[in-house]
Amino acid sequence: MKRISIFLMASLFVLCAVAQGADKTGMISLKPYIPEDAGLSPKLHKQLMTKMSQIASAAGMAGEGFDNRFIITANIQETELAETATIPVKMAASLAVTFFVGDGIDGTLFSSCTVNVKGIGDNKEDAYYAAIRKISPRKPELLQAVELGKQRIVQYYNSVGPEIINTAKAAAAGGQYDEAISMLFAIPMSSDIYPEAQRLIAEYGAASLEAYNQSLLANAQAAWAASPNEEGAEKAREFISQMQMPSQDILTKTQKLSHEIATRLQAVSDREWKLERDIRMAEIKNEHEQNMA
């Protein structure tokens, strides 16, 4: 069913672009990411991930996309840690939190921004938590850095766009429509090749669906040919029921098969009824002759 889901997503994607003025489709998204060796406690890890999600959302780059290779990550550098001269004693931490926007696969850095914050807590972890919490996701410097990263991501797609298109075409030529459509879905709306990608998505989606329905029709025909009876008819119906938005050609062939099945079963049913009638008449005749004897 993977081929069906890919095609339906392609159809919905294009329809949403038309209905909503393409304001929510083809967007570039940033995935918050923290390396496993960052050494953060679960509490700080969660807080920093939340903060990065807020920053991506404020910049209009939140959510999951078809290409999740672009990330926003952060590095925390402690610049000062000291006890306060208060009763009870608290811990005060000064942090330089640097946010990075880049390609999570090849490691390319697109932009960065450092925010200096301070926090006070009962212990070091609480002080860190308080400091991170103070970071405003709408801080102008942060939004500018994310916007710069977005521009460089678009530049990336403009530079590799022709290669993506050619690779997708090659995959589709080999019948790998799912792979081709996935490549094309990753291309953002801001890219120069976005219109071409959308055209190919529609084309390959239709071709993928046609191939899927054709396979179901072939299975239905094979099931009926192997068992031209009620059992074979039921198997054929199961395959036919899985078709999605069949083309006129598929519909014509399916109707032909359905008519063949119905005609065959009716003929078999008529023959069976006549046979049962002849057997019953023979039994009656035999019984009558015995009575006469």
Side-chain angles (χ1 to χ4, degrees):
M1 296 299 289
K2 182 180 179 182
R3 180 173 293 160
I4 282 295
S5 63
I6 286 289
F7 175 78
L8 292 179
M9 284 190 289
S11 301
L12 290 173
F13 190 86
V14 175
L15 289 175
C16 286
V18 175
Q20 302 176 8
D23 60 341
K24 294 184 181 297
T25 57
M27 303 299 289
I28 299 171
S29 63
L30 291 179
K31 183 178 180 180
Y33 170 76
I34 297 176
E36 294 181 359
D37 59 356
L40 297 179
S41 67
K43 179 180 178 180
L44 293 178
H45 182 281
K46 181 179 180 181
Q47 175 65 8
L48 189 56
M49 287 289 287
T50 299
K51 189 62 61 175
M52 290 190 294
S53 295
Q54 292 172 348
I55 294 170
S57 179
M61 300 176 67
E64 292 287 332
F66 274 80
D67 190 350
N68 292 317
R69 66 185 297 160
F70 303 111
I71 64 172
I72 177 171
T73 187
N75 177 62
I76 300 175
Q77 182 178 359
E78 180 187 297
T79 57
E80 186 179 356
L81 182 65
E83 294 182 346
T84 63
T86 59
I87 299 177
V89 176
K90 299 282 187 178
M91 294 298 296
S94 295
L95 307 178
V97 184
T98 303
F99 295 92
F100 303 94
V101 174
D103 190 323
I105 294 181
D106 64 20
T108 301
L109 175 64
F110 295 137
S111 62
S112 64
C113 178
T114 299
V115 179
N116 296 301
V117 286
K118 296 180 179 181
I120 298 177
D122 293 334
N123 50 51
K124 177 179 176 180
E125 181 184 48
D126 289 345
Y128 270 49
Y129 183 89
I132 296 172
R133 188 175 181 181
K134 288 182 180 179
I135 298 174
S136 172
R138 295 189 175 277
K139 190 175 181 64
E141 295 89 333
L142 275 175
L143 295 181
Q144 289 172 8
V146 175
E147 179 60 28
L148 177 60
K150 179 179 179 181
Q151 293 173 7
R152 290 181 175 172
I153 290 173
V154 172
Q155 292 173 3
Y156 162 81
Y157 275 110
N158 287 338
S159 65
V160 302
E163 181 181 348
I164 294 177
I165 293 293
N166 290 334
T167 303
K169 287 181 177 179
Q176 298 175 326
Y177 297 111
D178 298 346
E179 182 179 345
I181 291 173
S182 294
M183 293 179 195
L184 297 169
F185 260 131
I187 297 173
M189 184 172 56
S190 305
S191 172
D192 295 339
I193 62 171
Y194 180 76
E196 174 68 5
Q198 293 301 293
R199 184 188 68 78
L200 292 176
I201 285 174
E203 177 184 330
Y204 297 157
S208 175
L209 186 61
E210 183 73 6
Y212 179 80
N213 287 334
Q214 184 62 52
S215 176
L216 288 173
L217 176 60
N219 289 336
Q221 292 170 332
W224 172 246
S227 303
N229 49 37
E230 283 287 350
E231 181 180 355
E234 185 58 33
K235 289 182 179 179
R237 292 190 190 102
E238 289 179 3
F239 286 118
I240 292 174
S241 68
Q242 297 176 45
M243 291 183 179
Q244 299 288 332
M245 295 180 284
S247 65
Q248 186 57 51
D249 180 59
I250 295 293
L251 278 175
T252 300
K253 294 178 180 178
T254 301
Q255 291 168 354
K256 180 180 178 181
L257 176 61
S258 297
H259 179 72
E260 178 185 332
I261 292 174
T263 302
R264 168 70 176 174
L265 292 181
Q266 183 61 49
V268 171
S269 177
D270 290 343
R271 285 200 300 271
E272 290 179 348
W273 182 83
K274 291 178 182 178
L275 179 60
E276 291 177 358
R277 183 192 61 185
D278 292 343
I279 292 175
R280 181 56 183 158
M281 291 300 295
E283 291 175 347
I284 293 174
K285 181 180 179 181
N286 182 50
E287 183 179 352
H288 175 71
E289 291 176 349
Q290 288 180 356
N291 289 336
M292 290 298 294

